[in-house]
């Protein structure tokens, strides 16, 4: 006798490699679907709501209202479409809701009549130095059984993340024949249960490039940039691949590991203008998100981020970046506070050293994608590496106040509340870095 549980059936519908064409979706899928939200402005009072309609454009209107309020408001967005080889996208809607109240629960509706779907989100507290806030951290998620376990663990974590910092590599559509863009749709359905209710702050990884010139697809990041809008113009950026936001007591800078970043490039010019603007008396926690790690002791992808490290590490130290979150390496690692910026052509000082003014570098590329975990590590473990382990999982970053934050990494094989690695952060701007002269490793 074949027994199929509800969870197995749902997982099959979401993650199945057999795709239903847009013209044959059952009635449930005719509704607005693949709903996701992200921050819609620089300060945290805006939300970008995105969703798709499969067969016809329908309405790009969002109806929204505050909890315990009868006053319903409306915002109208737009829709876009794209083609990728033999795939035609559904109608992808993006609508920005502006001028929301801080720290308020809002309900929002998409569609009309029988096709209406309702969701909710909570805006962050007003920006300020002692505002507590909890971020989830997920990377390299994909759409496998392990991906589902990672997301379930995050949803069940008692730390209760309020927004996710996603460190790149979303659907892994490019891992399938001809970069099967149906996988973008199935991934969107998979994560909707979380990202329709709390913002995920997006960054692009190498699996978002989708560069396939031999089949006429020469525009990098085409599916990603059509599907995932971010408020890049609010921070003066010229590209959705690098931007910044404020959220509660954090200032978050998203960088692109796979866009030009050398001196005088648009990304470089933007960052050189951005870092001096950060007011640490207003947003004391300075966080950088990028896909490729600058420090990693795993053999696979070893030193792939070296040129970017040489380019930008000096500025991360100068401006006292608290932490750099990355993915790409399909495993977990946390460094000590280290820097390797003393080298010049004569002194030979080319080893990392402990530096109390430097960031902690954390790799969370362990979301669960189909490429599997990486087990081969540099041996012996470098002294700059404080903790490393090839296991699937997610992390949380709990800001307590202007001086203190608590970080924890959770493995999938453990109970939801088990912390396999943890670290108390002391804010670099508000805490003395008198130990920064420690010896080289």
């Amino acid at each position: 006798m074949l027994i199929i549980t509800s969870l197995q059936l749902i997982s099959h519908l979401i993650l199945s490699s057999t795709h239903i064409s847009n013209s044959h979706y059952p009635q449930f899928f005719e509704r607005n679907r693949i709903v996701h939200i992200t921050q819609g402005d620089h300060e945290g009072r805006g939300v970008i709501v995105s969703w798709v309609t499969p067969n016809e454009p329908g309405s790009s209107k969002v109806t929204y209202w505050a909890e315990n309020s009868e006053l319903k408001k409306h915002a109208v967005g737009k829709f876009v479409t794209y083609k990728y080889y033999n795939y035609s996208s559904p109608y992808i809607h993006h609508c920005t809701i502006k001028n929301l109240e801080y720290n308020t629960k809002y309900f929002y509706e998409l569609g009309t009549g029988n096709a209406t779907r309702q969701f909710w989100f909570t805006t962050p507290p007003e920006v300020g130095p002692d505002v507590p806030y909890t971020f989830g951290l997920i990377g390299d998620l994909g759409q496998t059984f392990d991906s589902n376990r990672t997301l379930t663990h995050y949803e069940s974590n008692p730390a209760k993340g309020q927004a996710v910092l996603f460190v790149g590599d979303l659907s892994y559509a490019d891992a399938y024949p001809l970069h099967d863009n149906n996988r973008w749709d199935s991934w969107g359905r998979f994560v909707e249960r979380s990202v329709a209710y709390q913002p995920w702050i997006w960054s692009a990884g190498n699996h978002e490039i989708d560069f396939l010139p031999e089949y006429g697809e020469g525009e990098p990041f085409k599916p990603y940039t059509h599907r995932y809008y971010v408020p890049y113009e609010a921070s003066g950026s010229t590209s959705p691949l690098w931007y910044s936001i404020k959220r509660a007591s954090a200032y978050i800078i998203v960088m692109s590991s796979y866009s030009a970043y050398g001196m005088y490039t648009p990304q470089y010019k933007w960052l050189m203008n951005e870092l001096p603007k950060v007011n640490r008396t207003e947003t004391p926690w300075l966080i950088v998100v990028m896909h490729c790690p600058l420090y990693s002791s795993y053999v696979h992808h070893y030193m792939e981020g070296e040129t970017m490290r040489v380019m930008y590490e000096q500025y991360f130290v100068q401006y006292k970046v608290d932490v750099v979150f990355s993915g790409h390496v399909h495993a977990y690692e946390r460094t000590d506070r280290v820097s390797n910026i003393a080298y010049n052509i004569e002194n030979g000082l080319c080893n990392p050293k402990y530096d109390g003014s430097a960031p902690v570098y954390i790799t969370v590329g362990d979301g669960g994608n189909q490429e599997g975990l990486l087990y081969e590590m540099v041996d012996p473990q470098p002294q700059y590496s404080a903790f490393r382990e090839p296991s699937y999982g997610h992390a949380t970053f709990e800001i307590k106040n202007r001086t203190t934050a608590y970080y924890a990494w959770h493995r999938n094989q453990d109970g939801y509340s088990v912390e396999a690695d943890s670290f108390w952060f002391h804010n670099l701007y508000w805490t003395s870095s008198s130990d920064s002269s420690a010896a080289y490793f």
Side-chain angles (χ1 to χ4, degrees):
M1 180 181 295
L2 178 62
I3 300 175
I4 301 177
T5 67
S6 299
L7 179 60
Q8 288 172 324
L9 179 59
I10 292 170
S11 297
H12 174 75
L13 289 172
I14 293 174
L15 303 176
S16 172
S17 60
T18 302
H19 298 282
I20 307 169
S21 68
N22 283 344
S23 61
H24 294 88
Y25 274 106
Q27 183 177 2
F28 171 80
F29 290 114
E30 292 295 337
R31 301 182 180 184
N32 306 287
R33 57 188 177 89
I34 310 182
V35 180
H36 53 93
I37 63 173
T38 192
Q39 185 159 315
D41 64 354
H42 199 245
E43 304 287 334
R45 293 186 62 195
V47 170
I48 299 173
V49 181
S50 303
W51 70 98
V52 309
T53 51
N55 293 326
E56 57 185 28
S59 172
S60 294
K61 182 176 73 173
V62 176
T63 301
Y64 64 99
W65 64 97
E67 186 178 32
N68 301 321
S69 172
E70 297 181 358
L71 178 62
K72 292 189 175 183
K73 299 181 180 181
H74 307 280
V76 179
K78 64 178 183 179
F79 69 85
V80 296
T81 61
Y82 72 92
K83 293 183 181 294
Y84 192 94
Y85 185 55
N86 61 355
Y87 170 89
S88 296
S89 77
Y91 298 91
I92 306 167
H93 301 257
H94 302 286
C95 180
T96 302
I97 305 174
K98 302 177 181 178
N99 299 316
L100 299 168
E101 296 297 322
Y102 286 116
N103 205 26
T104 301
K105 184 175 182 177
Y106 284 89
F107 293 92
Y108 69 100
E109 282 185 352
L110 309 174
T112 58
N114 292 332
T116 298
R117 298 185 69 196
Q118 185 180 116
F119 306 88
W120 57 264
F121 60 82
T122 301
T123 53
E126 185 172 359
V127 172
D130 289 304
V131 179
Y133 200 79
T134 300
F135 292 98
L137 292 144
I138 300 175
D140 300 72
L141 187 58
Q143 41 193 310
T144 68
F145 174 80
D146 290 300
S147 311
N148 189 49
R149 287 188 69 187
T150 296
L151 187 54
T152 300
H153 268 224
Y154 170 66
E155 292 169 320
S156 304
N157 192 321
K160 299 299 180 187
Q162 296 163 274
V164 168
L165 302 181
F166 194 89
V167 298
D169 282 0
L170 286 71
S171 71
Y172 283 79
D174 66 341
Y176 297 87
L178 300 174
H179 294 216
D180 183 2
N181 270 229
N182 289 288
R183 285 288 174 173
W184 280 104
D185 296 319
S186 59
W187 192 83
R189 293 194 295 273
F190 160 50
V191 298
E192 183 188 76
R193 70 195 207 213
S194 173
V195 72
Y197 298 93
Q198 63 173 234
W200 287 26
I201 310 305
W202 303 109
S203 62
N206 55 300
H207 286 280
E208 278 69 72
I209 298 174
D210 277 308
F211 183 65
L212 202 63
E214 61 269 33
Y215 289 94
E217 293 300 337
E219 178 186 341
F221 302 102
K222 184 202 283 187
Y224 171 76
T225 54
H226 278 78
R227 291 173 179 269
Y228 293 92
Y229 276 23
V230 297
Y232 68 97
E233 293 176 319
S235 60
S237 171
T238 57
S239 169
L241 301 175
W242 58 87
Y243 63 99
S244 71
I245 60 169
K246 300 176 186 178
R247 197 164 185 89
S249 50
Y251 200 102
I252 300 158
I253 292 178
V254 175
M255 298 183 66
S256 176
S257 299
Y258 304 100
S259 302
Y261 52 76
M263 192 172 291
Y264 310 124
T265 60
Q267 184 170 196
Y268 171 88
K269 289 182 177 180
W270 174 81
L271 187 65
M272 292 303 99
N273 185 59
E274 185 72 10
L275 285 170
K277 293 193 306 186
V278 181
N279 180 0
R280 304 295 284 275
T281 64
E282 178 191 49
T283 50
W285 292 96
L286 181 52
I287 299 169
V288 172
V289 176
M290 61 174 65
H291 185 62
C292 186
L294 303 191
Y295 284 92
S296 172
S297 65
Y298 287 84
V299 172
H300 198 63
H301 299 313
Y302 186 61
M303 294 186 74
E304 279 188 22
E306 184 65 6
T307 55
M308 202 170 198
R309 184 197 65 76
V310 171
M311 191 77 214
Y312 291 112
E313 185 181 22
Q314 59 183 312
Y315 303 112
F316 294 169
V317 174
Q318 177 183 346
Y319 289 98
K320 297 184 183 295
V321 171
D322 291 291
V323 60
V324 178
F325 292 114
S326 301
H328 195 45
V329 176
H330 298 163
Y332 172 74
E333 186 165 21
R334 173 177 58 83
T335 73
D336 285 318
R337 292 199 180 276
V338 294
S339 70
N340 188 5
I341 58 176
Y343 175 79
N344 62 43
I345 199 168
E346 297 177 345
N347 65 21
L349 299 176
C350 57
N351 292 316
K353 69 163 187 171
Y354 176 80
D355 187 340
S357 296
V360 173
Y361 294 87
I362 296 177
T363 299
V364 284
D366 53 353
N369 69 83
Q370 69 270 35
E371 293 181 351
L373 291 167
L374 299 176
Y375 294 95
E376 190 177 359
M377 311 176 201
V378 174
D379 188 29
Q381 182 173 358
Q383 288 185 304
Y384 63 77
S385 175
F387 187 99
R388 60 183 185 177
E389 181 179 316
S391 292
Y392 293 121
H394 74 279
T396 53
F397 188 77
E398 300 178 58
I399 297 173
K400 305 295 186 181
N401 51 45
R402 75 182 66 192
T403 62
T404 309
Y406 183 70
Y407 166 83
W409 175 61
H410 303 260
R411 302 183 304 187
N412 284 359
Q413 63 263 41
D414 296 326
Y416 298 146
S417 61
V418 175
E419 298 171 357
D421 181 40
S422 61
F423 183 78
W424 281 100
F425 277 82
H426 300 286
N427 186 273
L428 291 185
Y429 181 84
W430 291 97
T431 305
S432 171
S433 57
S434 58
D435 295 330
S436 61
S437 61
Y440 289 85
F441 292 140

